[in-house]
Amino acid sequence: AVWRLAGIRDEVGRLRARGVTFEEYDFGPEGRTVGGILAEGETDLNAWFVDSEGNILALAEDAS
């Protein structure tokens, strides 16, 4: 599942404060996560975490 929102950095901080651990990924030349957030290009942002059932969930903030 993906939730699109504005203010992803704030939301990641709120979720971390509640105990959510964000995944760290290295996509090679396409980028890597920094502090759990992948910045694509200038402003697209993505963050992933795993729920208690093992599902990978995502937050996304579009450039526009």
Side-chain angles (χ1 to χ4, degrees), residues 11-47:
E11 190 61 33
V12 166
R14 281 190 288 275
L15 289 169
R16 273 202 176 110
R18 299 184 108 196
V20 175
T21 301
F22 284 84
E23 300 295 301
E24 295 291 339
Y25 295 117
D26 185 347
F27 297 105
E30 294 183 25
R32 66 181 180 86
T33 55
V34 176
I37 298 174
L38 171 69
E40 294 182 68
E42 292 297 315
T43 56
D44 285 353
L45 302 172
N46 297 282

Side-chain angles (χ1 to χ4, degrees), residues 34-59:
V34 176
I37 298 174
L38 171 69
E40 294 182 68
E42 292 297 315
T43 56
D44 285 353
L45 302 172
N46 297 282
W48 296 270
F49 58 99
V50 178
D51 70 9
S52 61
E53 302 296 318
N55 300 300
I56 298 173
L57 307 173
L59 303 176

